[in-house]
Amino acid sequence: MDKTSIDWYFDFVSPYSFICFHRLGELPAKISYKPVLFAGLLEHWGQKGPAEIPAKRKWTYRWCTWWARELGITFRFPGHHPFNPLPYLRLAVAAGASDRVVRRIFNALWTTGDDALDP
């Protein structure tokens, strides 16, 4: 079967991106990883991120924790969230943004509870 190609745009700061990354294998497609700065999109459209709005922050944290548990995904919020994902996005681009690279970065950020701001 010939696989379709899908461009997947993500930011390492997003817990939704982390969880969705684990579900990409369910798609019958070749995934092309496209790191983007979510904060740049929010700024362009004059929006705040979910973690910047107290009620949305609480909902996002609870929902993502529940969703990951339901899917059997190891999941712990980083010690600081939101954090500046730019160094991680740059690392992904520099390393080729392959499945292996994106997985290693996501796992370092979203499975340990470590401080994402610690170099």
Side-chain angles (χ1 to χ4, degrees):
M1 176 167 116
D2 191 26
K3 287 190 171 188
T4 304
S5 180
I6 294 175
D7 289 339
W8 184 57
Y9 296 87
F10 67 94
D11 190 340
F12 291 111
V13 74
S14 170
Y16 293 104
S17 288
F18 173 73
I19 293 170
C20 289
F21 173 79
H22 286 276
R23 308 226 34 212
L24 291 175
E26 298 171 24
L27 298 173
K30 177 184 177 289
I31 308 299
S32 180
Y33 299 94
K34 306 289 184 180
V36 297
L37 184 61
F38 182 52
L41 296 171
L42 291 171
E43 185 176 326
H44 174 79
W45 294 106
Q47 299 292 312
K48 287 186 176 184
E52 298 173 280
I53 302 166
K56 286 186 177 184
R57 178 185 177 99
K58 184 177 179 181
W59 170 256
T60 297
Y61 282 34
R62 289 178 68 197
W63 170 254
C64 289
T65 300
W66 175 86
W67 191 21
R69 187 176 58 245
E70 287 294 306
L71 294 171
I73 298 169
T74 300
F75 179 83
R76 290 185 62 198
F77 268 86
H80 282 94
H81 188 267
F83 56 88
N84 179 4
L86 199 51
Y88 300 104
L89 295 166
R90 288 178 174 156
L91 175 61
V93 170
S98 66
D99 178 84
R100 183 179 66 83
V101 167
V102 172
R103 180 178 310 280
R104 297 253 337 239
I105 296 170
F106 266 133
N107 284 342
L109 292 168
W110 289 99
T111 64
T112 64
D114 290 343
D115 184 353
L117 301 176
D118 183 0

